Amino acid sequence: MPSMIEDTSPHTNFTIVTDVLPGQVLGGSRLSYYIAFSAILLFIWLFQPDKEECGVSAPFYKASRLKWMFSADMLVKDSYSKFRDTVYQIKTTEGVRTIIPASLVGELKGLPEDTLSARTAVREAMLSEYTNLCAGQHTDTLSLLLKCKMTGQLARMTPQLKEELEYIIATEFPDCEEWTPFKIQPFMIRTVARLSGRIFVGPALNRVEEWMNVSINFAVTAFIAVIKLQFFPPWMRPAAQYLVSELRTIRRDLEKAQSMLTPIIEERIRDGETPGYEKPDDLAQWLLDALPEDQKRDYYIQGKLQLLLSAASIHTTSNLTTDCIYDLAVHQDMQEILREEAREVLEDDEAWGKKDSMNRLKKLDSFIKESQRLSGNVTSFIRKVMKPIDLSDGTHLPAGTNLLAPMAGVAVDSRYYPDPDVFDGLRFWKLRQQQQQHQQHSTSSSISATSAPSPSSSSTSLPDEQAATANANGKWQFTSIGDTAMNFGLGKHACPGRFFAGCEIKMVLAYLLLNYDIKLKDGEGRPPPNMFMMTKSPSTTAEILFRRRTCS
């Protein structure tokens, strides 16, 4: 779950909405007007001089702006193959960016905000002075709720999520008695919106179609607004903002969210004064409890935070789930492997709600991480230098430098991932097994070397082996972060909602695997992704075949 919701944990480039096509950016109800207007903007944008001077002594990778608009993933891979462990610069659609290799990211990830700022970088990328797309003073509160309340209580939420998943499949998924073609990406957006909404706003609102539409479309509208504003030079934007209709739509959506949440929050405040009242267990209530007394009736800010959270979670989670389904359809040998694991872990309805059930789906976890490796972010580690920084390789980063990490390149670096172009659904499961065995062997050797055999030695070795297992399991998990695994960010700015996103994805995939066979249409390959600016997304129109499995 990326952090457009909060400047405190941005982990990728700002363009998180991945189901918007160029035609939607340049289109509208008054089509001829938009075509002419957009053509003028495109001409201005393509040929405006780039006056951004950051003063970094690093080589430039040259490519046209049009190439960066439609082929950014290939350009990042190509530039990375040329420079690899060297700092270099690119001129993207967003301007000059300095690319920091994985080998040097470790020197930067722990720097304080007043030296290297994630908040400022995201705020500027989202053009928040015009779009108002930031949580402001509520950033830390929202991040803390996600880390403590949501992540810490995932097991308790699982039965609610499963109930919601079964409902939307029963009402919106085809019967699939025979092989049935189905556009899975639009369905996944609605599914994740329903699941997330159940935990964000509760059952009274998450199935309301108007709330569904606002929570889904808010991110799309914001993305288009930012793209349109980017076509204007910065000096024109104060006036140009009035030409961007999506900015007005954003304001209307915020008003709609406020209107729908107001009666629910008022009822909760009123009922909260009743002795014995049991508070709802959702983010809306957690936020209400966390806000200072003078803001508990500020329904606008509560609606805004809900929409920002939806924008940051729905599209990224649904897109990755869709990519996983495309990969399952391609690699059908993995379906039975993952299905067998799901049967073993989720043997009955009660098992879905057990504390460790989702964590025990280790092969599925590996499959999701591998899908993310090859279909994930083009760039990550978005930062702005606030005070001059000198790197160990001698590179000087002056204040004002905008940084990115080349995730698309790192993901196919054979030094980090052997046979990087091969999809291996069990890649990370194997690495976990290898590391666990290595650590257990090291622990056993250490115990043998430091103590003589005794009746007590076997009992004391068990916690050590369990600790070794825990350490081994951590590094290669889907939610793990590191210098070469930055899809969820890095350091204190890592996405606080990634554990909830992982739970949602595993639940959806496990349910589909247990109940359906999945394959591509005859003669078709994996649906190609859409690429627009720095955003890579799964095909929105591809049809995958599903067939309901019969009970054995």
Side-chain angles (χ1 to χ4, degrees):
M1 191 187 306
S3 292
M4 159 181 151
I5 58 163
E6 46 173 49
D7 340 317
T8 189
S9 61
H11 70 274
T12 183
N13 53 293
F14 71 94
T15 50
I16 66 159
V17 184
T18 55
D19 59 337
V20 180
L21 300 178
Q24 290 174 274
V25 175
L26 302 180
S29 56
R30 298 165 62 188
L31 185 58
S32 60
Y33 164 78
Y34 276 112
I35 290 175
F37 183 60
S38 300
I40 296 172
L41 287 182
L42 182 60
F43 181 85
I44 295 173
W45 177 74
L46 283 174
F47 295 102
Q48 63 177 300
D50 197 334
K51 297 182 179 179
E52 187 175 351
E53 297 290 343
C54 64
V56 178
S57 296
F60 263 98
Y61 174 80
K62 296 182 179 180
S64 70
R65 291 188 181 217
L66 278 179
K67 285 186 177 180
W68 279 111
M69 178 175 282
F70 298 110
S71 305
D73 58 336
M74 300 307 298
L75 294 178
V76 168
K77 289 178 182 178
D78 184 61
S79 62
Y80 181 82
S81 69
K82 288 179 169 62
F83 296 104
R84 206 169 286 265
D85 290 330
T86 303
V87 175
Y88 65 97
Q89 300 178 83
I90 59 177
K91 286 186 179 180
T92 70
T93 51
E94 291 91 359
V96 175
R97 296 294 182 266
T98 298
I99 304 299
I100 305 296
S103 57
L104 293 173
V105 162
E107 300 179 22
L108 299 171
K109 63 185 178 183
L111 295 178
E113 270 287 309
D114 62 357
T115 300
L116 186 66
S117 178
R119 295 186 178 188
T120 301
V122 170
R123 190 161 52 243
E124 291 182 359
M126 290 307 303
L127 298 177
S128 293
E129 61 183 300
Y130 304 110
T131 62
N132 200 26
L133 294 175
C134 68
Q137 63 177 323
H138 299 94
T139 291
D140 293 334
T141 299
L142 195 54
S143 181
L144 192 62
L145 289 176
L146 292 174
K147 289 177 182 177
C148 298
K149 297 291 288 186
M150 183 173 288
T151 300
Q153 302 175 32
L154 282 178
R156 196 181 68 252
M157 301 174 190
T158 304
Q160 300 177 58
L161 294 174
K162 184 170 183 285
E163 176 187 327
E164 203 63 42
L165 176 61
E166 290 174 334
Y167 175 81
I168 193 168
I169 285 182
T171 56
E172 299 190 27
F173 199 78
D175 290 336
C176 300
E177 296 299 330
E178 301 295 335
W179 284 112
T180 305
F182 187 59
K183 292 181 181 179
I184 194 64
Q185 197 267 359
F187 173 77
M188 274 304 143
I189 292 179
R190 290 181 58 82
T191 298
V192 173
R194 279 271 176 82
L195 296 178
S196 301
R198 180 66 178 261
I199 305 304
F200 293 172
V201 295
L205 198 55
N206 79 305
R207 293 182 186 177
V208 175
E209 199 63 29
E210 186 178 10
W211 179 263
M212 285 272 289
N213 290 336
V214 170
S215 63
I216 290 172
N217 293 327
F218 183 75
V220 178
T221 303
F223 176 68
I224 297 174
V226 171
I227 296 302
K228 286 187 175 181
L229 283 169
Q230 282 185 343
F231 277 99
F232 294 95
W235 60 269
M236 285 185 63
R237 289 171 188 165
Q241 63 177 310
Y242 299 105
L243 302 175
V244 180
S245 61
E246 285 75 17
L247 294 177
R248 294 188 290 276
T249 303
I250 288 173
R251 290 192 287 271
R252 287 196 297 270
D253 285 346
L254 290 170
E255 291 169 358
K256 288 180 183 178
Q258 175 184 353
S259 175
M260 285 184 277
L261 277 172
T262 295
I264 294 174
I265 298 173
E266 285 183 340
E267 181 181 8
R268 293 184 180 189
I269 292 175
R270 183 175 61 252
D271 291 348
E273 300 173 357
T274 304
Y277 171 68
E278 185 175 343
K279 294 181 179 180
D281 189 18
D282 54 39
L283 183 73
Q285 185 64 47
W286 306 337
L287 184 59
L288 181 61
D289 293 339
L291 287 173
E293 198 61 38
D294 61 338
Q295 294 182 18
K296 291 187 184 297
R297 294 184 183 274
D298 187 341
Y299 308 126
Y300 175 82
I301 190 58
Q302 294 180 60
K304 177 182 176 180
L305 293 177
Q306 286 284 354
L307 289 191
L308 289 175
L309 185 60
S310 295
S313 62
I314 291 173
H315 295 271
T316 49
T317 304
S318 62
N319 281 338
L320 180 52
T321 309
T322 301
D323 276 318
C324 288
I325 292 173
Y326 289 166
D327 288 327
L328 283 170
V330 173
H331 305 280
Q332 294 196 31
D333 58 312
M334 286 298 306
Q335 290 186 36
E336 191 54 41
I337 295 173
L338 300 179
R339 189 176 289 125
E340 184 59 35
E341 179 185 60
R343 284 197 199 102
E344 181 181 337
V345 173
L346 305 169
E347 71 272 10
D348 53 45
D349 285 341
E350 291 184 4
W352 288 80
K354 290 181 180 178
K355 185 176 182 180
D356 64 341
S357 287
M358 293 298 126
N359 288 334
R360 289 173 58 200
L361 296 172
K362 296 178 182 179
K363 292 178 181 177
L364 182 58
D365 187 277
S366 173
F367 187 92
I368 297 168
K369 190 174 181 69
E370 179 73 346
S371 188
Q372 184 188 53
R373 180 180 72 86
L374 293 174
S375 304
N377 298 330
V378 177
T379 59
S380 186
F381 197 69
I382 177 173
R383 299 289 190 275
K384 183 160 188 174
V385 178
M386 310 304 289
K387 296 178 182 177
I389 300 169
D390 291 310
L391 298 175
S392 61
D393 69 344
T395 302
H396 176 72
L397 302 176
T401 305
N402 290 291
L403 307 182
L404 289 174
M407 276 307 301
V410 173
V412 291
D413 189 331
S414 59
R415 297 175 300 172
Y416 307 128
Y417 306 104
D419 297 321
D421 294 321
V422 175
F423 184 98
D424 181 358
L426 297 179
R427 179 188 299 271
F428 298 100
W429 177 80
K430 295 171 188 173
L431 289 169
R432 289 172 75 170
Q433 298 299 109
Q434 292 170 9
Q435 189 172 358
Q436 179 178 327
Q437 292 168 8
H438 174 73
Q439 291 188 1
Q440 287 178 340
H441 175 74
S442 299
T443 302
S444 299
S445 299
S446 175
I447 293 172
S448 300
T450 57
S451 61
S454 69
S456 61
S457 63
S458 60
S459 62
T460 57
S461 66
L462 183 58
D464 292 309
E465 292 180 1
Q466 290 174 339
T469 299
N471 291 334
N473 285 342
K475 183 177 181 181
W476 304 112
Q477 288 185 44
F478 167 63
T479 53
S480 301
I481 55 174
D483 295 355
T484 59
M486 292 179 281
N487 275 295
F488 288 115
L490 203 57
K492 64 182 179 180
H493 296 299
C495 172
R498 64 189 187 276
F499 301 97
F500 177 65
C503 180
E504 285 183 299
I505 296 170
K506 286 181 183 178
M507 177 170 290
V508 171
L509 294 178
Y511 188 91
L512 289 176
L513 283 165
L514 289 171
N515 291 280
Y516 299 90
D517 291 316
I518 306 168
K519 72 174 184 178
L520 298 171
K521 291 182 177 179
D522 290 343
E524 293 189 358
R526 190 191 191 282
N530 298 317
M531 190 69 227
F532 186 55
M533 300 183 78
M534 285 291 186
T535 299
K536 186 178 182 181
S537 64
S539 170
T540 60
T541 58
E543 289 186 329
I544 300 297
L545 298 176
F546 293 85
R547 183 179 64 185
R548 182 176 292 278
R549 294 178 59 81
T550 56
C551 297
S552 56

